[in-house]
């Protein structure tokens, strides 16, 4: 039976005050038929390799693309490219959000995450494959 691991992360916030972020981004990675400990092991090896080759004072404990160097980003993406992955993103420019959604951020969040991300996962994976798979 195929196994699917789905990782969802968000960046920014859904606030609309002057200190809020300009964008709200939700991204996901869907990995098919790899065991989670195998994935974690590969990612840890990439981190270890980056820490050894950089020989810097501060070791990288996790990937933070906003803070990572271009070289680190490229190494990570090359490793991810070896997996059977589906990657998606929903990016919302908050200056284009309609006024009624600014007042009901749960509706906006549900649209961005549930309607877009989850529908894509179901449509792209569950509908086209064996109905008895695990996520």
């Amino acid at each position: 039976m195929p196994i699917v691991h789905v990782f969802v992360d968000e960046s920014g916030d859904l606030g609309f005050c002057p200190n809020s972020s300009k964008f709200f981004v939700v991204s996901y990675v869907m990995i098919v038929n790899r065991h989670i400990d195998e994935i974690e092991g590969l990612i840890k090896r990439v981190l270890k390799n980056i820490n050894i080759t950089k020989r810097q004072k501060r070791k990288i404990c996790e990937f933070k693309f906003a803070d990572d160097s271009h070289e680190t980003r490229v190494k990570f993406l090359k490793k991810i490219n070896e997996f059977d992955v589906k990657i998606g993103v929903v990016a919302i420019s908050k200056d284009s959000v309609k006024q009624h959604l600014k007042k009901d951020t749960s509706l906006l969040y549900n649209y961005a995450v549930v309607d877009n991300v989850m529908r894509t996962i179901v449509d792209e994976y569950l509908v086209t494959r064996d109905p008895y798979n695990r996520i």
Side-chain angles (χ1 to χ4, degrees):
M1 168 182 1
I3 298 173
V4 179
H5 296 283
V6 180
F7 302 91
V8 180
D9 196 15
E10 56 191 47
S11 178
D13 59 71
L14 278 176
F16 289 94
C17 62
N19 294 338
S20 298
S21 63
K22 293 182 181 184
F23 298 93
F24 179 70
V25 180
V26 178
S27 57
Y28 68 90
V29 175
M30 185 169 60
I31 302 172
V32 181
N33 288 332
R34 297 295 280 260
H35 293 286
I36 193 68
D37 40 340
E38 179 186 5
I39 296 165
E40 287 176 350
L42 291 169
I43 298 304
K44 284 179 184 177
R45 270 187 252 138
V46 172
L47 274 172
K48 184 177 180 180
N49 180 276
I50 288 169
N51 285 327
I52 289 171
T53 57
K54 288 184 109 178
R55 296 182 190 196
Q56 57 191 20
K57 293 178 184 176
R58 185 183 66 88
K59 289 190 174 188
I60 299 172
C61 297
E62 66 177 335
F63 291 103
K64 294 277 191 187
F65 269 41
D67 300 330
D68 291 339
S69 69
H70 177 73
E71 176 187 358
T72 299
R73 294 176 194 159
V74 169
K75 284 183 180 182
F76 178 79
L77 292 172
K78 283 183 178 180
K79 182 53 74 177
I80 286 292
N81 192 42
E82 296 174 9
F83 300 154
D84 178 16
V85 298
K86 172 87 175 172
I87 298 173
V89 65
V90 175
I92 299 172
S93 176
K94 293 196 298 188
D95 62 357
S96 65
V97 173
K98 294 183 178 180
Q99 197 61 37
H100 74 280
L101 292 174
K102 289 181 181 181
K103 294 177 182 168
D104 188 359
T105 56
S106 64
L107 185 63
L108 179 60
Y109 186 85
N110 284 338
Y111 174 73
V113 177
V114 177
D115 194 53
N116 275 301
V117 176
M118 294 308 294
R119 186 177 311 271
T120 300
I121 291 168
V122 169
D123 289 349
E124 294 288 326
Y125 182 72
L126 289 177
V127 173
T128 61
R129 302 193 188 223
D130 180 12
Y132 299 105
N133 43 28
R134 293 183 359 209
I135 294 184

